[in-house]
Amino acid sequence: MEHVDPDVLALISLGEDVDDTTRDHLARCERCTAEVAELAAVVATARTVTPADAPTQPPAHVWDAITAELGLTGAGPSSTPISPTPAERTTVERAPSPSQAAAPARRPALWALAAAVGGLAVGGVGGAWWAGTAGETAPPVVAQAELEPLPGWDATAQARVHEADDGTRELVLVLEGGETDGAFREVWLIDRDVTRLVSLGILEGSEGSFTVPTDLDLSDFAVVDVSAEPPDGDPAHSGDSIVRGLLDT
């Protein structure tokens, strides 16, 4: 018996309509019906996921320990200071670190399709896994924001601030779109009056984790901004923001 194409089964699990021949086959074939049920369960679960459910990247010291253990150099976070500007700019470490994502499944292509269209990014919202010790979970989210594109840009982003028991805070940012031509992307926190700003570091790729200075009041510096910065050596904000949003502190 010829079975329904796997891609068609995935579409059915997402609620797409099919022709009469396919419906007749499903009415008779237990194998195809079972596969649709499995995929539909994935979609149902995916549609319940929120950003608060996502694990986050580890803090910078975890990556430092990994690179030290492996004998790597130049692969971990850097701490290159930048000079303050007249806008009372505060400097912090630039500490981008790599993230991992994985979504094991019996039929990867179909499960990925169902999960992605259903609202769950493969590997979890944000695509960053908490890489702590066994049983360790991400610190709670204390603030988050949806970042919208500024004129001339086609991009969106989500930002979450996690706070550990010792008061350490990490801002995890995931950016979709906003590709730049030769420029790099820098993450900032800006005060509500948009007169003072803090550089958190450079966003490499589509996601990154950044240390929030301990003395920074997020109820004041509540604006998250990602800018396109030309490689001209000027540490000041270029004035060309890609996305921007307000933390719900």
Side-chain angles (χ1 to χ4, degrees):
M1 176 187 298
E2 183 176 353
H3 295 283
V4 177
D5 184 273
D7 291 337
V8 175
L9 293 177
L11 293 174
I12 294 171
S13 71
L14 296 168
E16 295 292 329
D17 196 14
V18 294
D19 56 46
D20 292 338
T21 300
T22 301
R23 280 193 292 268
D24 290 343
H25 177 85
L26 288 174
R28 302 188 308 272
C29 180
E30 293 183 1
R31 170 181 162 181
C32 290
T33 300
E35 291 199 26
V36 170
E38 289 177 347
L39 290 171
V42 174
V43 173
T45 300
R47 286 173 174 161
T48 67
V49 172
T50 67
D53 297 314
T56 64
Q57 286 181 282
H61 68 82
V62 175
W63 180 245
D64 290 339
I66 293 172
T67 56
E69 179 70 21
L70 298 177
L72 302 176
T73 59
S78 64
S79 55
T80 303
I82 52 180
S83 302
T85 69
E88 300 182 27
R89 176 177 180 177
T90 305
T91 62
V92 297
E93 290 187 351
R94 296 185 174 186
S97 58
S99 60
Q100 300 177 14
R106 181 170 56 87
R107 301 179 64 180
L110 294 184
W111 287 97
L113 173 64
V117 179
L120 174 64
V122 176
V125 176
W129 290 102
W130 180 253
T133 59
E136 188 175 358
T137 58
V141 175
V142 296
Q144 56 188 355
E146 295 290 330
L147 282 60
E148 300 297 333
L150 273 74
W153 291 98
D154 181 16
T156 58
Q158 299 81 41
R160 303 186 307 278
V161 178
H162 296 262
E163 184 171 349
D165 291 340
D166 62 0
T168 302
R169 295 174 296 176
E170 294 284 330
L171 184 144
V172 178
L173 186 138
V174 180
L175 176 67
E176 297 181 6
E179 289 77 11
T180 57
D181 185 12
F184 57 89
R185 297 175 295 191
E186 191 162 2
V187 179
W188 309 78
L189 287 174
I190 306 175
D191 75 327
R192 291 178 181 271
D193 295 329
V194 196
T195 59
R196 295 167 293 150
L197 65 167
V198 174
S199 171
L200 296 187
I202 305 303
L203 178 65
E204 295 184 356
S206 61
E207 59 190 71
S209 180
F210 306 90
T211 300
V212 178
T214 55
D215 58 349
L216 196 69
D217 182 2
L218 290 182
S219 64
D220 182 15
F221 284 81
V223 179
V224 182
D225 179 278
V226 180
S227 65
E229 299 292 336
D232 56 6
D234 185 354
H237 193 295
S238 66
D240 186 9
S241 293
I242 301 171
V243 290
R244 184 176 292 181
L246 191 66
L247 289 169
D248 59 353
T249 55

